[in-house]
Amino acid sequence: MSGTFTTRVLTVSTGSEERVVDLTGDCEAFLREAAAGRDGLLNVFVPHATAGIAVIETGAGSDDDLLAALHTLLPADDRWQHRHGSPGHGRDHVLPAIVPPHATLPVMGGRLELGIWQSVCLVDTNKDNPRRQVRLSFLA
């Protein structure tokens, strides 16, 4: 099994604003080393109860549209049972049910197989946690 499974943890600064952070370049850099030209699967996982992983177009406004849609679906108000942290923080704990904390993606010849406009992104609506960890794992 040596060399068939490799993992790395990234630390991502998200600041104090809701953010969609493009991780595609980090995923590609990891695969250049870990996959070494092989086929397999890349798993991207965020071990936080208030963040998710999305495959979405970035740079053309879709990332802002996603945050706007999440604001509509999960308003930051006082309706939530989970009440510690910033006002409306309970919604951040519901986010992973809509934007899951993981994605598993195909790797062919050591390269991530995404569609032309697809990017791998961390979605973080929690303003109280400015640093996130993201685990990248390659299985050949």
Side-chain angles (χ1 to χ4, degrees):
M1 287 275 295
S2 180
T4 61
F5 182 80
T6 306
T7 191
R8 175 177 299 153
V9 176
L10 306 173
T11 299
V12 180
S13 294
T14 55
S16 60
E17 299 295 320
E18 297 178 357
R19 300 228 4 237
V20 175
V21 180
D22 190 339
L23 302 173
T24 309
D26 294 306
C27 292
E28 291 169 341
F30 169 68
L31 289 171
R32 278 193 291 279
E33 292 178 32
R38 297 175 295 170
D39 295 348
L41 296 171
L42 173 68
N43 182 265
V44 184
F45 175 71
V46 57
H48 298 281
T50 59
I53 300 294
V55 178
I56 187 172
E57 178 181 8
T58 58
S62 296
D63 34 358
D64 291 332
D65 289 342
L66 173 59
L67 291 175
L70 290 171
H71 238 284
T72 299
L73 290 169
L74 305 171
D77 58 22
D78 63 358
R79 73 183 72 201
W80 308 101
Q81 299 294 317
H82 190 106
R83 295 188 186 265
H84 79 272
S86 297
H89 174 65
R91 77 180 190 115
D92 299 327
H93 287 273
V94 177
L95 174 77
I98 296 169
V99 180
H102 59 86
T104 300
L105 306 162
V107 176
M108 302 296 293
R111 300 199 54 168
L112 196 53
E113 285 290 305
L114 292 173
I116 192 165
W117 301 113
Q118 290 180 315
S119 297
V120 181
C121 298
L122 169 66
V123 179
D124 188 0
T125 59
N126 183 356
K127 299 175 186 181
D128 297 336
N129 191 346
R131 299 184 74 74
R132 298 298 187 155
Q133 290 191 333
V134 179
R135 180 176 296 279
L136 306 177
S137 299
F138 174 71
L139 177 63

